[in-house]
Amino acid sequence: MIDEIAPELALIQVYLRAASFAHRGEPLTLLPVTEDAGNFGVGLAIDELNDGAVTQVRVHITNDPESEKGRYELDVEMAAIIEKRNDVARALPQSQVLEIGAALLYPYVRELVSNLTGRGRLGAVWLHPFNVRGAVESLVAAENANADAAAKP
C-alpha cells in the first residue's frame, strides 16, 4: 500500500512572525517606477516541536537598506507549522522537511512582500522564485563544515 511508504506531512498553520517595511530614506529622489528592486536575502530555519511530531519552518526575507538599488527597507519572517502524521514522515531528515516546508511556505512570503510593497510609493516588488533544494543543501554544507571545524582540536 502507498500509505505504508509515503511520508504524510500536513501544513497546519502559516503565520507572520515579524515584518518591517519602510521607504528608503530618500524616497522623493527616486523615480516612481524603479527598474531594479534590489537584492533580497532568503534565510531558512527549522525547529522541532512536540518531540519531533510537529515542525516549525521559517523563511526570512531581508534586503540591504544601504543598497542603492533597493526601493524599500524590508524585513519579513513567516513560519509554517507542519505536522508529521506517520512514522515515515517522522523519520525524514530535518533537511528534507525544511526543503518541503520552505517550498510550501515561500508562495505565502512572496504574496506578503508584494502586498506590503504594493502599498508603497515605488510599486510592488515581486520576489523571484529560488532554488529551495540548493539553499537547503548550502545550509547543510555550512552546518557540516562548522561542526567539522568545531570537532578539530
Side-chain angles (χ1 to χ4, degrees):
M1 271 177 103
I2 189 106
D3 291 336
E4 295 175 357
I5 60 169
E8 191 176 329
L9 299 172
L11 183 63
I12 302 298
Q13 184 177 12
V14 173
Y15 62 96
L16 177 65
R17 286 180 46 102
S20 172
F21 168 73
H23 284 93
R24 289 183 48 189
E26 68 288 349
L28 297 178
T29 63
L30 298 173
L31 298 174
V33 177
T34 305
E35 290 296 318
D36 191 355
N39 294 324
F40 290 87
V42 178
L44 304 175
I46 188 169
D47 303 307
E48 294 289 335
L49 310 170
N50 291 350
D51 297 325
V54 178
T55 301
Q56 174 182 259
V57 173
R58 293 177 281 137
V59 175
H60 184 212
I61 303 290
T62 187
N63 70 332
D64 180 8
E66 303 301 320
S67 169
E68 293 181 16
K69 294 181 178 181
R71 298 183 210 171
Y72 305 109
E73 295 177 15
L74 182 69
D75 192 343
V76 172
E77 184 174 4
M78 289 188 77
I81 301 296
I82 298 173
E83 182 181 16
K84 300 173 185 176
R85 293 194 168 168
N86 62 7
D87 290 336
V88 177
R90 284 187 278 280
L92 287 174
Q94 268 196 335
S95 61
Q96 197 167 1
V97 176
L98 177 59
E99 181 182 328
I100 293 166
L104 290 171
L105 183 58
Y106 191 66
Y108 293 95
V109 175
R110 289 182 71 196
E111 178 68 19
L112 174 69
V113 169
S114 68
N115 280 335
L116 279 174
T117 58
R119 299 174 196 312
R121 178 180 178 273
L122 302 175
V125 171
W126 289 92
L127 298 176
H128 297 292
F130 76 104
N131 182 351
V132 176
R133 178 168 290 160
V136 170
E137 287 172 356
S138 296
L139 184 64
V140 168
E143 288 175 356
N144 289 342
N146 289 340
D148 289 345
K152 290 182 181 178

